[in-house]
Amino acid sequence: MSAQPDLLYSEEEEALRAAVRDLLADHCDAPGVIARTESDTPHDLAAWKALTDGMGLAGLLVPEEKGGQGASHREVAVVLEELGRAVAPVPYLTSAVVATEALLACDADDLLAELASGRRIGALAVALNIAPGGAYKVVRHEGGELHGELAAIADAAAADVLLIPADDGGLYAVDASSVTVTPQVSFDLTRPLATVTLDGAPGRLLGDAELAVHRALRAGAGQLASEQLGLAEWTLTETVRYLKERKQFNRPVGGFQALKHRLAQLWLEVVNLRAAARNAADALATGEDADVAVAVAQAYAASVAVHAAEEALQLHAGIGMTWEHPIHLYLKRAKADSIAYGSAGAHRARLAELVDLQAP
């Protein structure tokens, strides 16, 4: 009989949370993030350097003997909760989780060490909307060179190395300087997408693409739930704070019964999301029923994160509609996350398969 999942945070995880939150308060304040989304360089590489060089967080999933910190998905989930709270424009999920997991499946020690140290940023060249186990586009491998075009690649503009699946079944490491990266119009301004074009780019064979991509996307989907949790918690907390301060008819707006009911319902949803996200992180860390836990988390997370952001926008009234207020960043991230690494519907269908539940 398998052990029960541990959904609580350890003292070490809470200490990690406090350290990451303090760092992000210094590097990812709302006005700074908004200004960066309006620039030609949406990624905050200074914050990335602080997270990697200063705290070593890029290597949490990498064993110590391979140049990493030897931690687990539980610690990574705590980091992603805080990154979600700040809608931090850093390639942590795409490089330190998804690309790193792909390399772990291939046992590419030299690249792992470089990504773990933060010296290089990696990106798996699979469209952001692809679910674990889903069909993904590949490029043509011919004569040791790669040819083709891959669209909707998250954080490709910040990557130094791209992990490219090819039609021969292999996963190839390609230097970003060997490809053309064209920015796409992205709904989420803090996690920009791009099209990667390969015209005879040289690639280094790493291993089996199918195995690596499935492992990477499963980890990405599972850890995305923690990012969505952090986002939902921030929007709920900020909405409650605002409604305590804003007055109407000479009393705080938050005192009106109808708003209390809406906030109470949202709080229950966020608490349930926390349980699902923690379960997914613990399952990824232990390997116990990870496929099921990830599918459950992602079947639920999107609706809660989007609901929390929509309630925040509406209950902040006029100020919430302004560009200067950061709520629009959270709503866009929540909407983009709702299809990242598979939609809720795709994960429900996958869950039905995993538990042998026949559709009506």
Side-chain angles (χ1 to χ4, degrees):
M1 184 175 179
S2 61
Q4 292 297 315
D6 183 3
L7 305 185
L8 301 179
Y9 299 97
S10 67
E11 290 184 10
E12 292 79 9
E13 289 166 354
E14 291 292 3
L16 174 61
R17 179 194 308 284
V20 174
R21 187 174 296 187
D22 287 345
L23 185 149
L24 293 175
D26 293 335
H27 287 84
C28 290
D29 63 298
V33 174
I34 293 172
R36 188 164 290 281
T37 63
E38 298 174 317
S39 72
D40 294 331
T41 55
H43 293 100
D44 191 340
L45 296 184
W48 173 254
K49 184 176 178 64
L51 288 166
T52 56
D53 283 358
M55 300 184 68
L57 298 182
L60 288 180
L61 293 179
V62 180
E64 291 184 42
E65 63 271 18
K66 297 184 179 182
Q69 303 298 319
S72 76
H73 281 276
R74 291 177 59 90
E75 289 79 13
V76 171
V78 171
V79 174
L80 279 165
E81 285 180 33
E82 294 307 309
L83 293 176
R85 287 179 61 90
V87 285
V90 295
Y92 190 84
L93 180 62
T94 48
S95 182
V97 178
V98 176
T100 295
E101 283 281 354
L103 291 176
L104 285 168
C106 297
D107 206 26
D109 291 359
D110 56 335
L111 272 178
L112 267 177
E114 291 181 331
L115 262 61
S117 67
R119 294 193 303 271
R120 301 184 81 186
I121 296 171
L124 178 66
V126 172
L128 184 61
N129 65 304
I130 302 299
Y136 53 89
K137 188 176 179 181
V138 299
V139 300
R140 179 167 50 89
H141 179 261
E142 183 178 323
E145 296 180 337
L146 300 172
H147 303 263
E149 183 177 278
L150 300 167
I153 309 303
D155 294 332
D160 301 298
V161 60
L162 294 159
L163 309 181
I164 311 286
D167 58 1
D168 64 350
L171 185 70
Y172 291 82
V174 176
D175 194 279
S177 62
S178 302
V179 305
T180 301
V181 177
T182 306
Q184 295 179 238
V185 176
S186 306
F187 189 69
D188 178 7
L189 302 175
T190 61
R191 181 174 287 144
L193 306 179
T195 297
V196 176
T197 305
L198 301 96
D199 187 12
R204 167 192 162 195
L205 179 62
L206 299 174
D208 178 73
E210 184 175 357
L211 178 65
V213 169
H214 180 269
R215 175 172 173 170
L217 295 184
R218 185 182 71 172
Q223 291 292 358
L224 181 66
S226 291
E227 177 185 287
Q228 291 164 303
L229 169 61
L231 185 155
E233 286 186 327
W234 185 91
T235 51
L236 174 60
T237 300
E238 283 300 301
T239 302
V240 171
R241 182 192 62 76
Y242 177 73
L243 293 181
K244 285 181 178 179
E245 295 176 354
R246 183 183 173 217
K247 291 187 178 181
Q248 194 173 68
F249 305 115
N250 204 32
R251 61 178 289 191
V253 174
F256 291 106
Q257 188 86 350
L259 297 190
K260 286 183 179 180
H261 287 172
R262 287 169 65 173
L263 293 171
Q265 177 60 38
L266 186 55
W267 180 82
L268 288 173
E269 293 178 13
V270 172
V271 169
N272 289 335
L273 173 54
R274 183 184 300 117
R278 290 300 294 168
N279 183 51
D282 187 71
L284 287 168
T286 62
E288 290 282 342
D289 295 325
D291 289 335
V292 171
V294 168
V296 168
Q298 275 307 316
Y300 183 70
S303 61
V304 177
V306 171
H307 183 211
E310 288 177 341
E311 287 285 73
L313 180 66
Q314 186 175 99
L315 295 178
H316 273 77
I319 192 175
M321 296 295 293
T322 63
W323 183 262
E324 290 74 16
H325 199 285
I327 286 180
H328 65 94
L329 296 178
Y330 289 85
L331 180 56
K332 292 168 185 173
R333 172 68 71 87
K335 294 291 281 187
D337 281 356
S338 69
I339 60 171
Y341 304 114
S343 65
H347 285 283
R348 283 193 289 269
R350 175 61 176 155
L351 180 61
E353 293 177 5
L354 291 169
V355 299
D356 196 25
L357 179 63
Q358 298 300 315

